[in-house]
Amino acid sequence: MTDAAGTIEAEQSRDIRKRWLLSLPALLIILAAATGPLLIVLVYSFLAPGPYGDVQWLASLDGWISVVMEKDIFDGTFSLADAHVSIFMRSVVLSLVTTVLTLLVGFPTAYFIATRPEKTRELWLFLITIPFWTNLLIRTFAILEVIRNEGLVNGLLLKFGLIAKPIQMLFTDGAILTGMVYVYLPLMVLPLYASMEKLDFRLVEAGYDLYATPFKVLRRIIIPLVKPGIIAGSILVFIPALGAYVTPSILGGGKNMMLGNLIELQFGQGRNWPLGSALSITLMLIVMVALLVYVRNAGSQGSRHG
């Protein structure tokens, strides 16, 4: 029996090693494709900028210093890079507001879908996912046509005599916010619906039977039970919103830049690849912090339910 068990274990070990060896080429390709570009960007962030773009292979921290500081060209003194700080703040604030607004709109939308008969839920989900069938650029231009001076909103307001002249909505933070809420709303609705679909609505009925108000039922029963969906949806919206490039570029008109636009500017017209690389790594670190917060909250939520 002992020899037979040892033989079986040896065969299993050989089988596992064989599977790993067969998977090794694919794993190496995936690892190189995933980490190779990131390592290049990381190395570039510690090099000196070239005179016409690219980099000089000289170790330098100028890229990282320039993320939050700027050097005076006359006396060489450093001061706070107000432009970069304002872009960082605008990016974080707009991303957070986008997350909150998509949650406020997506929560009742997901609840509505989850409370429909099972036969019609697929239709509602189908309608929610339709925007994903269209390219992000086209969806952004659709918003542009709605809010521009000669667009749908101003046209209707002028037609009904509510305004005397078109309202300047385009090329503002509000325009960027509107575009991002529209673009990322499905990313909030789908995780919320996935959580609400599993919700035992008998608990909601029990809350009403115990004379709880609708607000108390929402706060004490529904929200705690769908918290994983809220956290997942918030992360799915916040991360792409923070690095958004197309929407701020088109609806902001280049005057209201976000982090993605600033990074592109350094690799393009700015010709400062180390700074662009340092900004990219900084953006990645912010995203990693957001993911760690999500994992921590999701883990604590799972342990409480366990």
Side-chain angles (χ1 to χ4, degrees):
M1 289 293 293
T2 304
D3 294 339
T7 302
I8 294 174
E9 289 182 2
E11 290 179 355
Q12 290 177 345
S13 299
R14 285 196 297 270
D15 184 57
I16 292 173
R17 285 197 298 269
K18 186 183 295 184
R19 291 180 182 179
W20 274 106
L21 288 174
L22 290 173
S23 304
L24 187 60
L27 293 174
L28 290 175
I29 292 174
I30 294 173
L31 183 64
T35 61
L38 182 60
L39 289 175
I40 293 174
V41 171
L42 181 61
V43 171
Y44 276 13
S45 68
F46 290 100
L47 298 178
Y52 303 106
D54 208 337
V55 294
Q56 294 179 337
W57 290 91
L58 300 172
S60 174
L61 292 176
D62 288 347
W64 286 99
I65 294 174
S66 299
V67 170
V68 293
M69 304 293 290
E70 58 183 358
K71 187 177 182 179
D72 192 285
I73 60 175
F74 297 107
D75 56 16
T77 58
F78 287 93
S79 59
L80 188 66
D82 295 333
H84 291 180
V85 173
S86 64
I87 291 173
F88 268 96
M89 294 301 298
R90 180 186 297 116
S91 300
V92 173
V93 169
L94 285 178
S95 300
L96 288 174
V97 176
T98 298
T99 303
V100 172
L101 290 180
T102 53
L103 177 60
L104 292 177
V105 177
F107 194 95
T109 303
Y111 187 84
F112 172 81
I113 297 174
T115 54
R116 297 306 95 192
E118 291 187 6
K119 294 181 179 179
T120 60
R121 290 180 192 175
E122 293 183 359
L123 174 62
W124 290 107
L125 287 176
F126 169 76
L127 295 176
I128 289 294
T129 56
I130 281 180
F132 283 116
W133 296 10
T134 309
N135 185 273
L136 172 62
L137 183 63
I138 297 176
R139 282 181 279 161
T140 304
F141 272 112
I143 290 293
L144 184 146
E145 289 298 320
V146 171
I147 64 176
R148 68 190 181 98
N149 288 355
E150 298 80 16
L152 178 64
V153 174
N154 276 313
L156 290 175
L157 294 176
L158 288 170
K159 182 177 180 180
F160 290 105
L162 298 176
I163 57 175
K165 60 180 182 179
I167 301 174
Q168 179 60 42
M169 292 179 284
L170 201 58
F171 308 142
T172 62
D173 286 347
I176 298 174
L177 186 62
T178 302
M180 291 201 300
V181 169
Y182 167 69
V183 167
Y184 299 124
L185 181 60
L187 297 178
M188 179 64 76
V189 173
L190 295 178
L192 285 172
Y193 169 75
S195 291
M196 290 184 182
E197 188 184 28
K198 303 173 184 177
L199 179 64
D200 188 352
F201 285 94
R202 290 176 299 180
L203 298 175
V204 178
E205 295 176 1
Y208 286 124
D209 291 341
L210 295 172
Y211 304 103
T213 62
F215 177 75
K216 186 169 289 187
V217 169
L218 176 66
R219 183 171 63 89
R220 301 292 296 273
I221 299 176
I222 298 177
I223 290 180
L225 292 176
V226 301
K227 185 179 178 182
I230 295 175
I231 297 173
S234 299
I235 292 296
L236 288 175
V237 171
F238 178 78
I239 290 176
L242 188 63
Y245 169 74
V246 173
T247 304
S249 179
I250 295 175
L251 300 182
K255 298 186 297 183
N256 301 74
M257 290 196 302
M258 292 181 64
L259 272 173
N261 309 109
L262 180 61
I263 293 171
E264 186 276 336
L265 180 65
Q266 301 307 320
F267 281 103
Q269 299 176 9
R271 297 180 180 178
N272 193 337
W273 290 18
L275 175 56
S277 300
L279 289 169
S280 301
I281 299 297
T282 302
L283 175 60
M284 189 194 71
L285 292 175
I286 297 174
V287 170
M288 287 180 61
V289 170
L291 287 174
L292 288 174
V293 171
Y294 164 67
V295 171
R296 183 176 180 180
N297 279 275
S300 61
Q301 183 74 12
S303 63
R304 283 197 297 269
H305 284 293

